[in-house]
Amino acid sequence: MKRNLHAYFPLFVLPTLAAFVISFLVPFGMGIYLSFCKFTTVANARWSGLENYRRIFSDSNFTNALWFTVKFTVVSVITVNIFAFLLALTLTRGLRGTNAFRTIFFMPNLIGGIVLGYIWNLIINGVLGFFGTDITYKAEYGFWGLVILTNWQLIGYMMVIYIAGLQNIPRDITEAAEIDGASKGQIIGRITIPMVMPSVTICTFLTLTNSFKLFDQNLALTAGAPGRETAMLALDIYNTFYGRPGWQGAGQAKAVIFFIIAAVIAFAQLKITEGRETDR
């Protein structure tokens, strides 16, 4: 039986492997090559060496977008995970209507990013309109608008993951701690959080990657205004590639740098949180 499975293994793997190579590896390799070229279409690409990389690091739009993205990601990762964990704790207390609340809090994650951006653009501008301004008046307004939008979208999703982790904690452990006189804060800090570290790893990774590569919401909410001060990296790459003639190669170089930064940060986060899992 095992020998027969080995004989058919290539047959089952080949379609998936071919799709992966065609749809990911080949475009990825071409993208790296084009980042070293000057081009308007793939057919007329001409090798230009490191010129595109020199251009992007002298481009203030790129450095501003990178710094804005880092600040936004740090704030979003912290706030989303704290609120999601607290919400999960509340909804695992056996409260009445818990399932309904879980569904309601999860629903924003089902709405598309463009739609979310326009919805919150209307809401925030409606509030700021009472003060005679709008979300594009200051970069700070756009920053906190994006933070609020991201929290509203992701908290429910992360809450579900934290609930799954909390429900896997043996009740006997917390009961023993309560009998020994441990306070609620001590139980959360010394039992609950260490026991849900796998959920923390997953939620931190998902929040970090979603925040770092945010595009749709950024485009719909502020479109980078005022003066591209609220443009995140993904939107800056889009604006460079499609909005600046002759900068297609630089836009591709930005995409490569974006991929490297996101991969390094995500890998480092996974290693750190996985290390905390093994220490518990």
Side-chain angles (χ1 to χ4, degrees):
M1 181 66 179
K2 190 174 182 180
R3 185 177 300 172
N4 290 337
L5 288 174
H6 281 299
Y8 288 103
F9 182 76
L11 180 64
F12 289 107
V13 171
L14 186 60
T16 303
L17 182 61
F20 177 73
V21 170
I22 294 170
S23 63
F24 179 77
L25 285 184
V26 172
F28 183 74
M30 289 181 64
I32 294 176
Y33 168 74
L34 290 172
S35 71
F36 295 97
C37 297
K38 185 176 182 180
F39 67 95
T40 53
T41 65
V42 176
N44 66 4
R46 299 194 314 275
W47 185 264
S48 61
L50 295 174
E51 178 62 28
N52 290 326
Y53 290 92
R54 283 193 289 267
R55 293 177 78 182
I56 65 174
F57 284 110
S58 62
D59 180 14
S60 61
N61 289 327
F62 179 70
T63 53
N64 290 338
L66 176 59
W67 177 235
F68 185 86
T69 303
V70 170
K71 290 191 297 181
F72 167 79
T73 301
V74 170
V75 174
S76 294
V77 168
I78 294 172
T79 54
V80 168
N81 282 281
I82 288 175
F83 288 127
F85 181 72
L86 293 176
L87 198 57
L89 277 177
T90 304
L91 295 180
T92 50
R93 302 287 185 184
L95 300 177
R96 189 174 181 180
T98 294
N99 290 333
F101 284 118
R102 292 179 185 178
T103 303
I104 293 169
F105 287 125
F106 181 79
M107 285 178 65
N109 186 69
L110 304 177
I111 304 175
I114 288 288
V115 177
L116 274 178
Y118 284 125
I119 289 173
W120 277 98
N121 182 281
L122 292 172
I123 294 172
I124 294 172
N125 281 336
V127 173
L128 293 176
F130 288 105
F131 304 96
T133 186
D134 62 18
I135 196 170
T136 61
Y137 181 69
K138 284 185 178 180
E140 290 81 1
Y141 296 166
F143 176 85
W144 290 110
L146 285 167
V147 170
I148 293 169
L149 184 157
T150 303
N151 274 260
W152 192 73
Q153 182 182 22
L154 294 181
I155 283 174
Y157 184 25
M158 303 307 149
M159 173 203 71
V160 172
I161 299 174
Y162 280 123
I163 286 174
L166 290 169
Q167 290 177 336
N168 284 329
I169 298 176
R171 180 61 184 162
D172 296 344
I173 297 177
T174 55
E175 287 178 351
E178 290 172 356
I179 292 171
D180 289 340
S183 65
K184 290 183 178 180
Q186 290 174 323
I187 292 173
I188 292 173
R190 299 189 178 185
I191 296 176
T192 304
I193 293 177
M195 293 291 288
V196 298
M197 277 308 297
S199 297
V200 173
T201 299
I202 296 170
C203 289
T204 306
F205 176 79
L206 291 174
T207 311
L208 190 152
T209 52
N210 276 282
S211 299
F212 204 82
K213 62 186 180 66
L214 200 73
F215 173 73
D216 296 359
Q217 297 90 326
N218 190 198
L219 178 64
L221 188 68
T222 66
R228 295 194 176 183
E229 291 182 46
T230 61
M232 298 179 66
L233 275 176
L235 181 59
D236 180 64
I237 293 168
Y238 174 84
N239 288 334
T240 302
F241 199 94
Y242 293 103
R244 301 178 72 175
W247 278 68
Q248 288 86 350
Q252 189 61 47
K254 287 183 179 184
V256 172
I257 296 297
F258 175 62
F259 168 79
I260 293 171
I261 294 173
V264 169
I265 292 174
F267 182 77
Q269 176 266 317
L270 283 175
K271 284 297 180 183
I272 292 169
T273 50
E274 282 178 356
R276 298 292 295 273
E277 287 181 41
T278 57
D279 291 340
R280 67 186 177 87

